Amino acid sequence: MDKTALRDAATVILVRDPGGAPSVLMGQRGETAAFMPNRFVFPGGAMDAGDRDVPLGSDLDPGCVDRMDDQSPPGLGRALAATAIRELWEETGLRLAVPGVWPGEPPEDWHEFAAPGCLPAASALSFVFRAITPKGRPRRFDARFFVADADALLGDLDDFSRASDELSHLQWIPLQKVRDFHLPFVTEVVLAEVTAALPSLDPPETVPFFDNGAEESLFRRLGGIGPMQAIGAKG
């Protein structure tokens, strides 16, 4: 695999107590990571081919699907929702799920997720941001950011015992303190969008899109406004 090639990816911003004292779930990438070392990030990662075939216990909001299809090959929304839920499970051990029976044998990387009788729940996800990593980076992603209420999780919100070692220092960080942490620029931008919309976590009518896929950085809005050149977009 060419790891410098642009890959579709999904990220989950879980918000706890959005109408009161909101906090978000983040973890720290390792110092030897090729992409964003030492930064605090949301759970997420690249889409696997098998994510296209994962059964969902609940579907994405139709408006989210429409905005994800805007300036993308149609049909990616469902697969990227599965990616977001899988990466959340792998990196934190938390299940965004509903009770249900998996049709047939789950893929290997979904075995433990499905074991208690769980299906991925995409209806909890709202598509809120898209960003393409600028050229020249060691890893490049066409990342779609989803937000979800932590109340949609099954199980203990503070139990990270099943998490992989990809993220360390997993924690719920109060929004008022999150900028004290070492964050990527795009994470700060997404957080500003999410914070401005609170207490609502509903899908926005239009979705910001940092498009660094061309020769110049563009800021677009999916589902409405046309492109304009970004001012100070850093990716």
Side-chain angles (χ1 to χ4, degrees), residues 40-53:
F40 273 82
V41 297
F42 305 116
M47 185 176 74
D48 289 344
D51 292 339
R52 296 178 179 271
D53 302 319

Side-chain angles (χ1 to χ4, degrees), residues 102-219:
W102 205 284
E105 183 71 12
E108 183 177 353
D109 51 359
W110 288 89
H111 273 173
E112 290 190 31
F113 182 99
C118 294
L119 288 170
S123 61
L125 298 170
S126 293
F127 173 47
V128 294
F129 206 92
R130 178 180 174 188
I132 296 179
T133 310
K135 292 181 178 180
R137 304 292 174 85
R139 301 287 188 273
R140 296 190 68 221
F141 299 100
D142 188 345
R144 281 74 164 189
F145 293 78
F146 296 94
V147 67
D149 194 322
D151 282 348
L153 295 168
L154 290 183
D156 184 350
L157 305 188
D158 298 303
D159 181 6
F160 305 125
S161 61
R162 298 178 181 86
S164 68
D165 59 359
E166 189 166 346
L167 296 180
S168 62
H169 303 103
L170 285 165
Q171 59 191 288
W172 294 95
I173 303 175
L175 274 181
Q176 61 183 2
K177 296 183 178 180
V178 72
R179 286 176 178 80
D180 295 337
F181 290 74
H182 191 196
L183 307 178
F185 171 77
V186 70
T187 301
E188 295 185 14
V189 175
V190 177
L191 275 170
E193 291 283 332
V194 171
T195 302
L198 290 176
S200 174
L201 298 178
D202 293 337
E205 291 187 7
T206 62
V207 172
F209 174 21
F210 275 0
D211 184 358
N212 292 294
E215 293 303 318
E216 58 181 343
S217 294
L218 300 174
F219 181 75

